Amino acid sequence: MSRKTAPTDATPHERGRSRRLLGTLAQRTRAGSSGLVLSLMATALVSTAFGVGALGRSDDMSDGAAWLWSAVTKEAVRVNGNNAEIDLVASLPEAGEGPVEVEQNDDYLLLTDPQTGKVTSVDLNNLGFSGRLELGSGDHGVVLGRESAVVIDRAGGQIRAVNPATLQATGASLTLEGPLVGGAFDDADTLWVGAPTQGHAVGIKVSEGEAAVTQTVAVASPGSDIGVTVFDDGALAVDRGGEDVVAMREGDDPVMVTMPAPMAGSAMPARTRGEMAAVTRTKDDEIVTLMHPYGAAETTRFPVGRPGGGLAVPFSGRVYVPFEDEGVVRSYAPNGRELDTVTLPGAEGALELQVREGSLFVNSPETGVAAVVDDTGQATLVDTDEPPPGPGEIRGDTPAPDPVAPAPPNGPATEAGTGGPGEGTDGGSAGGGTGAPTPQSEGEPERSTGPPGAPTPVTAEAGDGSVELSWPEAYSPDASVESYDITWEGGQTTVEGSELHTLITGLDNGTAYRFRVKATNAHGTGPAAQSPQVTPSQEAPGSPGGVSVEVSGNETATVSWTGADNAVDYLVSAAAEGGASAPSNRTTGETSLEVTGLEPGATYTFTVTSRGEGGVTGESASSSPVTMPEIQVGTPGGVAHSVSGSTVTVTWTAADNAEGYRITPHGDGVEIGSETTVDGGATSHAFTRGDQRCFSFTVTAVGSGTTEGGSARSTPACLAPFQ
């Protein structure tokens, strides 16, 4: 079978082979499956994964590549768009069974598991897992630009800039009128989101660690259903209540274009590359295109000719539409003429399309089948038949097959070319061979030989000539962690697997250090987790004061304190009583932090440590112990409001275990009264209005103390002028 995409009538053998494409890659790289496997293309030699010699080399390979997720192997693989070959692998073995969302630029890779709300950052310049963030449940997203990164709470309307390496907040939250829709950066690093309650599209820039609004464009009436896609140099907003779209970019007046079809029920990708936008009208199986919105705007409308089409993605003058039930992607000219069909043999479930670095990448994350489409429409299957080159091997060589490794006398077999426990190349980069595991006796359960994951995040507290490191236990389901290896420029040390911290002494004050921690179990050494850069110093900030804790749910609490002199940020840690698990340490530049992932009924004490320039550690202060409630407060349902004369009445259905409800007005209706709390027996509340016309209300269930449940909001609505 050629590397071009298979025809629809591919044989069962061909379909089965394609279904196993990324599965075979996982087998070949088993010894390094928890790490990044780095291979330089063409005639470049390969550096060991996470090795010192590999630092800073990812930029040399960034052009023309994109990261794709495979749920089969729980890996993100970077695919070279020029030859459809995999050159880098980042495994996330602790990921759930569902899809993982991928955000990427040339410097960082962010992997978000929607099931757990965990976000993991991979620093591609230093080749290490560098940060972790737990978003919890809800409509959240982490978005990367060229230089910036933000966390978006779409339901709450909050946008907060974060460091893409550590995922820690760099400034205060920007609060807009929620809910928000969309969210992507253009090439000028402007973040565009839609605010339907106000009928606006909003442009946001991150400057000096703070997110701030730089542009607000009215695109529809307040309360309208709008959608937003982001161009290379601006954004396009669709009013789904009519036929109009609005194109906007910095330095130009907004342009309104009337489309040739109603926009009701339409959808667009979050990001659109190139000069053509495609709007999918899913109910009518139609595509509407828009070219040159800032000049002589051209629009077309055409049916896709068959049901079952997904979200259209424009690329290089064509429109590509996935048909998930068939495992194919069809392309169309803007006039509706059907062109080529990209077939992914064996593909099942969702088909993801993204345009990046001059290619269209098509991915079936559930089955591990992918293809790359160039700007002429030529599609090529991702080639995983041959493994990435091993250390010292040149692409194009044909090394002799490695012999099957004999089983060691006291332990499980290892794959040929990967070495045994503690051997190999700095964290288990893939070997050059494709050795098979040692055959097992009939009836013997299959052995697992996975090394640990990265112990992310690593926190570093600098002192006078010293740095204290701490990290969470590495993910290691196949065997217990035997040791943690710590390296830095000029030194290394090893601690027992039961230790999760160590003090590094003998460092030079005024010199910046970065530390890398790797876990080793009986099957090998995992990838490196790296600390932020810290600088030991004799000068330390003062102590934070007044540490308090406000419980806002049975798994969430907000820790607050007063600032310390000369502190630039703070380290927040938690100690749990009675065997409960404690969340990972977090850093923040603010004087409060929301901590998620706590255990209902567990008791925690929170400690805040001030840090000065370079991460030098100051004094600490602790909270009083706080016990999380065991009862989960529910969410009010059916939130609605009605207007009768001068009275606005908000109604809802009761939430489980609620002892009260907090009602928050929005729109110009905020003038009718401030936020109000009523007792748990109430399911309605009346406000008195003046000349206000636009209303919406959020009702939040409140439990005992400061415990909160869920929130629900009434649909924004405006009265006619004469009412």
Side-chain angles (χ1 to χ4, degrees), residues 87-122:
D87 58 29
L88 201 60
V89 176
S91 180
L92 200 65
E94 64 266 40
E97 297 301 322
V100 167
E101 299 169 1
V102 177
E103 277 283 320
Q104 58 193 292
N105 60 22
D106 290 343
D107 298 312
Y108 297 99
L109 171 68
L110 302 186
L111 304 174
T112 302
D113 186 343
Q115 293 181 339
T116 63
K118 290 183 179 179
V119 187
T120 303
S121 176
V122 180

Side-chain angles (χ1 to χ4, degrees), residues 26 129 194 227 251 266 274 393 395 446 451 523 594 606 623:
F129 290 83
S266 64
E393 179 187 339
R395 173 69 74 182
E446 182 181 356
H523 308 302
E594 184 179 73
F606 296 90
S623 70

Side-chain angles (χ1 to χ4, degrees), residues 26 142 155 236 254 274 349-350 387 397 422 428 433 450 507 513 522 583 625 632 684 696 700 705:
V142 183
L236 182 74
D397 286 355
L507 304 176
Y513 293 89
Q632 177 69 48
S684 66
S696 180
T700 303

